[in-house]
Amino acid sequence: MPENVVAKNIIIMGPQGSGKSTQGKLLAEKMNAYYFSTGERYRTIAKENSDLGQKVKAFLDAGELVDDPTTFELMDRELSYTQGGFVVDGFPRTLVQAEREMVPADNVIYLKVDKDQFIKRLEHRGREDDTPEQIATRLRLYEEKTVPILNYYREQGKLIEINGNGTVEEVHTLILAALGMTR
Ligand code: AMP
């Protein structure tokens, strides 16, 4: 196996604006692994002119989480595309989703970012679903629903906490080091 190619399955977590998509993609590239983001998939689905598209758009517009049956179906499909390792960004988002154990993760990377940092980053990324109301709803949901998952993975000994406040390069380096990979 070439150096740095590690068949690992990684979940990347962090609040909105923590850089998890940027870091997830960089890591997947380095690992030669399949990357997918449930949020990205949902933003694409929301543009489709279909019942599913309309349903998903309503959740996204409200800043709410998409319902579990729809999300489990999306995950089943995406996981069926993965062969070697993969990096999942955006799933699980709730303890119920985590406890379903759909993702055979070796490690869960949690990007810890100070609140003023991620608010600043969100102001710059200019995504359609980044109105102040949507941001506030997602932040509340994150604290209520997603933070409890951290303990779940901590107890399984899978959680790796990374200081996500640095530059893209700095954070990438920290992630590789924590996974025992060289640059
Ligand atoms: P993200 O790009 O990860 O911030 O996700 C954007 C939006 O997609 C979220 O606000 C949710 O509406 C939806 N979404 C992404 N992942 C999930 C998930 N695992 N469960 C439910 N909804 C999700």
Side-chain angles (χ1 to χ4, degrees), residues 14 17 44 49 52 62 81 85 94 115 117 150 176-177 179:
T44 304
N49 188 12
L52 177 64
Y81 301 145
T94 64
K115 206 165 173 170
Q117 257 300 334
L150 299 176
L176 294 185
L179 290 172

Side-chain angles (χ1 to χ4, degrees), residues 46-116:
K47 294 198 177 101
E48 286 169 7
N49 188 12
S50 63
D51 288 349
L52 177 64
Q54 284 186 355
K55 183 168 84 170
V56 167
K57 185 175 186 304
F59 284 117
L60 261 57
D61 284 350
E64 300 275 352
L65 294 178
V66 178
D67 64 283
D68 278 348
T70 303
T71 299
F72 294 149
E73 224 173 273
L74 174 74
M75 285 300 294
D76 270 338
R77 196 166 54 240
E78 289 297 328
L79 288 169
S80 75
Y81 301 145
T82 64
Q83 284 170 347
F86 58 81
V87 178
V88 185
D89 161 5
F91 185 94
R93 272 296 223 279
T94 64
L95 203 51
V96 170
Q97 289 183 0
E99 284 171 350
R100 194 161 169 116
E101 289 289 351
M102 283 182 98
V103 185
D106 297 299
N107 286 117
V108 177
I109 293 173
Y110 173 49
L111 295 179
K112 276 172 84 167
V113 176
D114 299 336
K115 206 165 173 170
D116 57 336

